[in-house]
Amino acid sequence: MSNVGPYTYATLTMRPDNAPHLAVSFYTPKLRVSSGMLLSNPRPFLEFTSHEANVHISTTGAGPVTDADLAIAREIFTAAARYLADCERLHTDQSAADMTANDPAA
């Protein structure tokens, strides 16, 4: 398996008679994740930032928080918890494999 160095990949696809499609992939240790509240028009936001790209998520139409906004926030929370659990499990597995590989008695 080859390892590619860290990068951020963003593509914008625009086709006639279709809505534009933007895809952003972060594969970098320099990713910053933050959240907060915009004060000028009170609403929450979630932000993913690298040197190459920024992704901002906020409420529908930048307006009041709706039931749909709550559902999306819960989906983000659930996905982030699953991502964390998978990262922790793989990190533990990889650390154990590294220790076994470096153990001369193994």
Side-chain angles (χ1 to χ4, degrees):
M1 179 169 144
S2 69
N3 289 332
V4 176
Y7 65 94
T8 298
Y9 189 73
T11 59
L12 175 62
T13 305
M14 297 177 68
R15 295 186 177 123
D17 300 322
N18 288 310
H21 180 263
L22 176 64
V24 179
S25 300
F26 295 104
Y27 302 100
T28 176
K30 296 185 184 213
L31 181 64
R32 301 282 183 255
V33 180
S34 62
S35 63
M37 182 73 70
L38 296 175
L39 300 177
S40 59
N41 182 10
R43 67 180 190 270
F45 70 88
L46 177 63
E47 179 177 66
F48 298 86
T49 305
S50 76
H51 180 70
E52 300 88 1
N54 299 334
V55 175
H56 302 267
I57 301 168
S58 190
T59 55
T60 307
V65 176
T66 65
D67 289 341
D69 295 321
L70 290 173
I72 290 169
R74 288 183 185 110
E75 286 180 41
I76 292 169
F77 178 84
T78 300
R82 189 170 45 248
Y83 177 72
L84 173 61
D86 289 344
C87 285
E88 288 175 336
R89 179 181 51 78
L90 289 171
H91 184 263
T92 299
D93 293 350
Q94 291 162 354
S95 294
D98 289 345
M99 287 178 66
T100 301
N102 294 326
D103 184 358

